[in-house]
Amino acid sequence: MEYNHLSIEQKWQKFWADHQTFKTETASDKPKYYVLDMFPYPSGAGLHVGHPLGYIASDIFSRYKRLKGFNVLHPMGYDSFGLPAEQYAIQTGQHPAITTEANINRYREQMDNIGFSYDWSREIRTSEPEYYHWTQWIFMKLFDAWYNKTSDKAETIQALIQHFESQGSAGIQAEADDDIREFTTAEWKDFSEKEQQEELLKYRLAYLRESTVNWCAALGTVLANDEVINGVSERGGFPVEQKKMMQWSMRITAYADRLLRGLETIDWPEPLVEMQRNWIGKSVGASVKFPVPQLNSEIEVFTTRLDTIFGVSFVVLAPEHELVDALTTADQKAQVEAYIDKTSKKSELDRMADTKTVSGAFTGSYAKHPITGEDVQIWIADYVLASYGTGAVMAVPSGDQRDYVFAKHFGLPIIPISDTQDISEAADPNKDGKYINSDFINGMTYQEAVPALVERLESLKLGKAKVNFRMRDAIFGRQRYWGEPVPVYFKEGLPYLIKEEELPLLLPEVDKYLPTESGEPPLGRAEDWKYQDEYEYELSTMPGWAGSSWYWFRYMDPKNKTQFASSEAVDYWKAVDLYIGGSEHATGHLLYSRFWNKFLKDIGYHNEEEPFKKLINQGMIQGRSNFVYRILDAEGRGTNKFVSLGLKNDYPTIPLHVDVNIVHNDVLDLEKFKSFRPDFANAEFILENGKYICGTEVEKMSKSKFNVVNPDDIISQYGADTLRLYEMFLGPLEQAKPWNTNGIEGVYKFLRKVWRLFHDAEGNFLVSDDEPSKAEYKALHKIIKKVEEDIERFSFNTSVSAFMICVNELTDLKCNKRKILQDLIICLEPYAPHITEELWSLLGNELGTISYAPYPVFNPEYLVESEFAYPVSINGKMRMNLPLALDLDQKAVEAILMENQDVQKYLDGKPVKKIIFVKGKIINIVI
């Protein structure tokens, strides 16, 4: 019987599905292990061979952990609310749920074909009401919570109300908006309901306020910073502008310190940890207020260099700053408005990245220096961001290069403030000298000046020491249709929650998936969609990251109708032990997930501070493009002739991408090429040695480069086990590597070799119950040890190489011993589950039980060497290898040497002066 991958793989995939082989029970005496993949957004294109890389790795590890006696939770689902489905709906009128369902079915079919050991009974979809019921419920909990800095955790808004009712605002240490009020108990009780709700909104962890957002008119929605690339939307490349809107936000900044501290407790790649550290961006400094008498107001700035305050020669506001209109004088109005309009067309990332362009506009107004009282010009410039800090900076040209360039450009003063500064060519930010031109801190050092300045500013009530974070609160709303409805209605312009028993708030039907003619989000098209037939619902939907910020909990208990997950399930599974996915989610999904996890812990739903204990970022599988070379005529136009790679330098040519699926080992299938495009039907070829050899290049896998390889095609030709092994064989999991079908034959041949170990030359199953030889045991125990070590350190590629060496050794030994082969296929099962299931059953074992068989125990005795082939040298020149027992002493070795005919031949009758013998290493005979 020959190895037939198609029939074997289909047989076992059906068996696993019928018998729910990988269904996980929460109650178990085994230790638990939770392996999670970042679940996919199901696009219409389906999977290409680059997508399953992380899934294969996690599946290998899950299968291995089952063999090691763990109760493994390894689930899969779909992040199924997404902008692409909505864009398709806008173009075709088809409901996004229909395309999403079709895409999911395609993904499921492809994943089943690869043989993953997912517990499909736990599948989730973020767009199903049974799931988003609990996304909405978490939103409601966030809306009904505030962050108490004293207890360093979230607490219910009711606790805050009780404090207001008993003590007023006195003693409250909260993460809140800057404009919170001070009031007594009596004043709180005198507030109208609207005034009370307005004040509470300033404390809530989910809140509504005017924010500067990335507005994409073409997509009709707000985009997160990471969805904007070079001023255009990542999806579709449409223009994005900065715009102020009433917008839902999440107060993630309340958790900034805990998010930073948590990074010290988890096993994540250091580059990813550093990205989160930088994104959170903790800064220790001071808050300083610059009075603006004409407005009876102040401009607040945050600075990490309070010591430079006497070097301030102007203040710069973000163009979006709320005071800009009021500060702009009549003669500066046109210039300021033109500058604001120009800035609105740039994204924040563009503004941060552009360090060369110097631009700005003078408002015409002045602030007062908080200590000296001198007039300080107020400018606007796009290098200041409304979303960072206070949206204002105190400019110190002598100590900051960007301020220095700005001051030079606009002819503003540059004040030296240190006796060691050299500002002749650039700013000098050193802290080494003593201060000059700095009022009462003249002659002080940095360490002396900062506390003195803090004390002075506090006495003037114009400043204080402060810790600031670069991270901003997370925008939590999209002006689109295909997302979770926000469970909120409005009364007198203020948001109120619907009742928990009214969840889920279902997406209403709409006639189109576009904004309304008056500019409202698509939900504004829903007919008679009002709370209690009276109050307007929120028309924005939740962002794409909402459903993915808690999904690992739902896998623990996916069918629960009364809780997002039972306390028993959460207590058992606790946190994810291994999470595998892309590093592109570093400052999006991974940050938001940690935030929601900490919040749910605060309000008592679990006990884990961090959701993902260990995280691995898999590298990208890149495409390997193929090229043909079209010959150009004398005028430089393309002909219908194509020259092979090795001869192309003899002709003027232009390279063209060609479909990699009609190229095998870089040799072009000429007939298929003629069908590739209609204009190639009559193509002529200049061949080398009768073949057309294509050029190659490693590029991103994409349809436009014709280098996308469908895993279905690979599985059809070579099998899922070959695909799994080959993707691991390509290189280390974390590294990027090119897909190259040229090497896949070797992996397929390896599996056929494994099959032949169990069969005789005629293809009959033939396994012996004889006792294995020492050499056979040695080959087996080397692979037992190697695979265990490699999987534990996620070095899957080296395991594949070791398997090949082991099978070659057993083939050479003509090994067909049951004791060897049965343990061998248990080791191989995580990598190649289909062939090992088949061989396991042929060995007479109960069907399907290999998945839970105990992993073989390594016995080091089998690797102890009893013999060594000594290199024998005569006067330092190596002459031969002589196998000798390792337990021989020098006297016994010398006796053997003197009796050995080959040694005597090299001695040529000359007397031996000395024999140098190093056990297990060398023999050197001196004559």
Side-chain angles (χ1 to χ4, degrees):
M1 183 171 63
E2 278 297 310
Y3 170 51
N4 184 330
H5 66 266
L6 283 175
S7 62
I8 289 171
E9 291 175 358
Q10 289 168 4
K11 168 186 173 181
W12 288 105
Q13 287 163 12
K14 184 176 187 305
F15 179 93
W16 297 331
D18 291 346
H19 293 80
Q20 292 192 291
T21 302
F22 307 110
K23 185 171 182 178
T24 306
E25 299 300 333
T26 295
S28 174
D29 295 332
K30 298 177 179 179
K32 73 94 183 179
Y33 203 90
Y34 188 172
V35 181
L36 184 62
D37 295 302
M38 289 187 187
F39 65 165
Y41 170 76
S43 73
L47 299 171
H48 63 59
V49 292
H51 293 128
L53 178 68
Y55 301 162
I56 294 170
S58 69
D59 196 61
I60 289 170
F61 200 81
S62 297
R63 288 176 177 274
Y64 166 76
K65 279 294 187 182
R66 290 191 195 98
L67 299 176
K68 294 294 284 185
F70 286 82
N71 185 32
V72 176
L73 176 56
H74 185 39
M76 177 51 75
Y78 304 95
D79 194 5
S80 50
F81 273 132
L83 200 52
E86 180 157 336
Q87 287 303 108
Y88 188 75
I90 291 169
Q91 294 161 13
T92 64
Q94 190 175 63
H95 196 288
I98 297 172
T99 53
T100 299
E101 179 70 24
N103 295 345
I104 285 175
N105 291 339
R106 176 76 183 117
Y107 267 58
R108 175 65 190 271
E109 177 189 21
Q110 289 187 291
M111 285 195 273
D112 282 346
N113 285 344
I114 300 172
F116 295 127
S117 63
Y118 293 126
D119 178 356
W120 284 109
S121 71
R122 295 174 182 260
E123 179 194 305
I124 59 174
R125 304 177 183 188
T126 59
S127 58
E128 288 185 338
E130 296 81 7
Y131 182 88
Y132 70 70
H133 173 138
W134 299 106
T135 309
Q136 292 173 336
W137 176 85
I138 295 171
F139 171 88
M140 293 171 77
K141 294 296 179 187
L142 284 154
F143 182 83
D144 259 343
W146 66 292
Y147 200 90
N148 187 340
K149 291 200 280 190
T150 303
S151 62
D152 198 22
K153 59 182 275 192
E155 297 178 4
T156 66
I157 210 75
Q158 193 58 41
L160 183 65
I161 293 170
Q162 289 170 358
H163 184 102
F164 289 164
E165 289 176 343
S166 62
Q167 301 174 55
S169 62
I172 285 291
Q173 295 293 313
E175 292 289 348
D177 292 354
D178 292 333
D179 59 342
I180 54 174
R181 297 161 69 174
E182 292 184 4
F183 48 82
T184 64
T185 302
E187 287 171 332
W188 170 257
K189 291 178 179 176
D190 284 342
F191 287 167
S192 66
E193 180 192 347
K194 183 176 183 182
E195 287 175 313
Q196 288 183 348
Q197 290 301 320
E198 284 175 338
E199 195 62 22
L200 290 172
L201 200 55
K202 299 173 185 176
Y203 291 83
R204 297 183 187 275
L205 290 182
Y207 63 91
L208 191 64
R209 76 172 178 201
E210 188 175 66
S211 306
T212 300
V213 297
N214 299 312
W215 172 250
C216 181
L219 295 176
T221 191
V222 169
L223 300 177
N225 283 339
D226 57 355
E227 296 174 311
V228 182
I229 309 293
N230 297 325
V232 298
S233 62
E234 183 182 28
R235 174 71 59 179
F238 300 112
V240 175
E241 63 176 320
Q242 301 286 291
K243 184 177 179 181
K244 284 193 173 182
M245 294 178 65
M246 289 300 291
Q247 190 74 21
W248 284 101
S249 292
M250 289 282 173
R251 210 178 295 277
I252 189 175
T253 49
Y255 286 84
D257 236 353
R258 279 170 65 184
L259 287 167
L260 269 180
R261 295 198 303 267
L263 293 173
E264 306 301 321
T265 68
I266 49 182
D267 183 5
W268 286 20
E270 187 53 38
L272 192 149
V273 169
E274 194 58 27
M275 285 171 73
Q276 288 211 353
R277 281 198 195 103
N278 292 337
W279 187 267
I280 297 166
K282 184 175 183 178
S283 303
V284 178
S287 170
V288 182
K289 295 176 180 177
F290 285 73
V292 184
Q294 65 268 38
L295 299 183
N296 194 25
S297 183
E298 295 153 339
I299 294 171
E300 185 176 357
V301 304
F302 174 80
T303 178
T304 58
R305 290 295 305 273
L306 182 60
D307 60 303
T308 66
I309 193 166
F310 293 105
V312 173
S313 58
F314 54 102
V315 170
V316 188
L317 306 183
E320 307 87 355
H321 195 284
E322 60 187 7
L323 292 180
V324 170
D325 283 349
L327 287 168
T328 303
T329 59
D331 57 340
Q332 293 295 115
K333 189 174 179 63
Q335 184 182 355
V336 167
E337 288 180 349
Y339 188 76
I340 292 173
D341 181 63
K342 180 181 175 183
T343 303
S344 72
K345 295 177 173 59
K346 296 182 183 179
S347 73
E348 285 193 355
L349 290 176
D350 290 337
R351 287 161 62 176
M352 291 164 67
D354 185 5
T355 57
K356 295 179 180 178
T357 306
V358 183
S359 66
F362 178 41
T363 63
S365 292
Y366 295 81
K368 295 292 183 181
H369 191 285
I371 296 176
T372 68
E374 294 175 0
D375 282 344
V376 178
Q377 289 188 13
I378 304 172
W379 287 67
I380 62 170
D382 64 7
Y383 74 86
V384 181
L385 305 177
S387 62
Y388 179 60
T390 62
V393 299
M394 60 179 217
V396 183
S398 61
D400 181 275
Q401 185 60 25
R402 201 149 196 181
D403 296 343
Y404 183 92
V405 172
F406 193 92
K408 283 280 189 183
H409 185 82
F410 289 106
L412 298 167
I414 301 175
I415 306 165
I417 52 169
S418 168
D419 60 6
T420 61
Q421 271 186 329
D422 176 9
I423 57 172
S424 56
E425 300 294 333
D428 184 350
N430 86 77
K431 305 175 184 177
D432 301 332
K434 294 186 177 180
Y435 293 96
I436 60 173
N437 300 323
S438 295
D439 202 272
F440 70 93
I441 64 167
N442 279 337
M444 289 187 184
T445 63
Y446 174 80
Q447 288 76 16
E448 295 165 336
V450 172
L453 286 165
V454 169
E455 184 180 355
R456 176 66 63 90
L457 287 169
E458 286 180 346
S459 69
L460 295 169
K461 295 189 176 180
L462 290 174
K464 61 182 178 180
K466 186 178 180 181
V467 174
N468 202 35
F469 294 92
R470 179 180 292 114
M471 180 171 64
R472 300 293 89 207
D473 282 344
I475 300 295
F476 193 80
R478 297 289 184 271
Q479 289 63 45
R480 66 183 193 204
Y481 175 77
W482 191 232
E484 300 91 340
V486 180
V488 160
Y489 66 93
F490 289 88
K491 186 169 70 173
E492 295 186 55
L494 287 171
Y496 290 80
L497 295 176
I498 66 173
K499 298 172 185 175
E500 279 192 24
E501 56 267 28
E502 294 170 327
L503 293 177
L505 176 60
L506 299 175
L507 264 177
E509 294 296 322
V510 294
D511 60 338
K512 295 179 187 174
Y513 305 102
L514 292 166
T516 66
E517 285 68 23
S518 57
E520 293 175 323
L523 292 189
R525 294 180 173 277
E527 291 185 16
D528 303 321
W529 195 55
K530 290 189 176 183
Y531 184 66
Q532 298 177 345
D533 297 324
E534 180 179 359
Y535 301 110
E536 297 291 340
Y537 279 118
E538 170 60 60
L539 299 182
S540 292
T541 51
M542 296 188 194
W545 56 267
S548 63
S549 293
W550 70 279
Y551 75 113
W552 63 95
F553 285 115
R554 192 59 177 172
Y555 282 135
M556 298 176 186
D557 194 10
K559 303 293 190 270
N560 197 318
K561 295 185 185 304
T562 59
Q563 299 168 278
F564 73 94
S566 71
S567 58
E568 293 80 10
V570 172
D571 288 346
Y572 178 75
W573 292 111
K574 293 182 170 59
V576 174
D577 296 286
L578 174 65
Y579 198 22
I580 297 182
S583 60
E584 67 273 14
H585 299 291
T587 56
H589 159 65
L590 289 171
L591 207 53
Y592 301 142
S593 295
R594 295 180 62 220
F595 160 41
W596 278 30
N597 187 84
K598 291 175 191 297
F599 169 71
L600 289 170
K601 175 177 181 280
D602 286 355
I603 61 173
Y605 287 93
H606 69 100
N607 295 309
E608 299 292 322
E609 182 72 6
E610 290 291 336
F612 316 122
K613 292 181 181 178
K614 181 174 181 64
L615 183 134
I616 295 177
N617 295 136
Q618 83 273 12
M620 180 187 292
I621 289 185
Q622 298 162 309
R624 186 176 186 272
S625 301
N626 283 117
F627 296 89
V628 292
Y629 299 93
R630 175 176 248 164
I631 298 175
L632 304 176
D633 63 18
E635 281 76 40
R637 293 173 301 199
T639 69
N640 213 21
K641 281 190 175 181
F642 297 85
V643 60
S644 185
L645 173 68
L647 304 174
K648 75 180 184 71
N649 291 338
D650 298 336
Y651 303 87
T653 61
I654 184 171
L656 300 177
H657 281 92
V658 65
D659 188 350
V660 296
N661 296 291
I662 63 173
V663 180
H664 185 68
N665 289 337
D666 296 332
V667 177
L668 180 68
D669 185 318
L670 302 182
E671 292 308 312
K672 287 183 178 177
F673 177 74
K674 289 180 179 180
S675 307
F676 175 48
R677 277 176 26 187
D679 54 320
F680 293 165
N682 299 313
E684 299 176 31
F685 305 94
I686 300 174
L687 308 177
E688 46 184 317
N689 300 320
K691 297 177 181 178
Y692 189 100
I693 309 299
C694 294
T696 64
E697 187 175 326
V698 174
E699 304 178 286
K700 183 178 179 180
M701 212 173 262
S702 73
K703 288 181 181 178
S704 65
K705 302 181 190 302
F706 301 103
N707 63 359
V708 172
V709 179
N710 188 327
D712 299 355
D713 297 335
I714 299 296
I715 290 168
S716 175
Q717 187 172 357
Y718 298 104
D721 286 340
T722 298
L723 175 70
R724 292 167 65 102
L725 282 160
Y726 188 59
E727 292 222 2
M728 295 299 99
F729 187 58
L730 285 171
L733 177 62
E734 298 91 341
Q735 292 182 12
K737 49 255 177 190
W739 176 267
N740 184 355
T741 313
N742 295 353
I744 205 166
E745 287 275 6
V747 174
Y748 187 54
K749 286 176 182 175
F750 158 72
L751 287 174
R752 285 186 289 178
K753 270 191 172 182
V754 172
W755 184 262
R756 284 198 294 270
L757 287 173
F758 293 74
H759 297 82
D760 62 19
E762 286 72 44
N764 301 307
F765 181 76
L766 183 63
V767 171
S768 166
D769 287 322
D770 293 348
E771 182 66 18
S773 67
K774 191 171 183 182
E776 289 168 337
Y777 273 125
K778 179 182 177 183
L780 171 66
H781 282 266
K782 277 195 299 184
I783 198 66
I784 291 171
K785 182 174 188 285
K786 177 68 173 167
V787 169
E788 186 167 7
E789 290 174 348
D790 284 354
I791 292 183
E792 291 285 1
R793 66 172 189 265
F794 306 97
S795 180
F796 304 111
N797 58 311
T798 51
S799 279
V800 179
S801 303
F803 276 126
M804 292 176 173
I805 293 168
C806 175
V807 169
N808 284 340
E809 289 176 351
L810 294 175
T811 301
D812 292 343
L813 292 166
K814 296 183 171 53
C815 176
N816 70 338
K817 312 290 174 48
R818 181 183 299 273
K819 286 185 178 180
I820 301 298
L821 299 185
Q822 181 151 300
D823 281 355
L824 171 65
I825 61 169
I826 293 174
C827 295
L828 182 59
E829 187 268 346
Y831 291 83
H834 305 87
I835 190 174
T836 51
E837 283 274 18
E838 183 69 12
L839 293 170
W840 180 257
S841 68
L842 289 173
L843 285 168
N845 297 294
E846 184 182 346
L847 301 187
T849 56
I850 189 173
S851 298
Y852 297 93
Y855 188 82
V857 177
F858 167 65
N859 186 341
E861 291 181 11
Y862 289 118
L863 269 56
V864 174
E865 298 287 352
S866 60
E867 190 176 82
F868 180 69
Y870 283 92
V872 178
S873 299
I874 311 293
N875 284 350
K877 187 172 184 179
M878 206 289 215
R879 292 294 187 180
M880 59 185 284
N881 283 311
L882 183 63
L884 296 172
L886 278 166
D887 58 358
L888 295 175
D889 59 15
Q890 176 141 352
K891 189 173 181 181
V893 169
E894 288 177 357
I896 292 169
L897 288 170
M898 292 304 99
E899 292 174 6
N900 186 280
Q901 290 183 355
D902 290 330
V903 171
Q904 290 302 320
K905 182 180 69 175
Y906 286 115
L907 294 177
D908 196 23
K910 295 175 183 175
V912 174
K913 292 181 181 178
K914 184 166 73 169
I915 295 177
I916 300 168
F917 168 65
V918 181
K919 184 176 284 192
K921 292 191 175 178
I922 60 161
I923 297 170
N924 187 22
I925 303 172
V926 181
I927 58 175

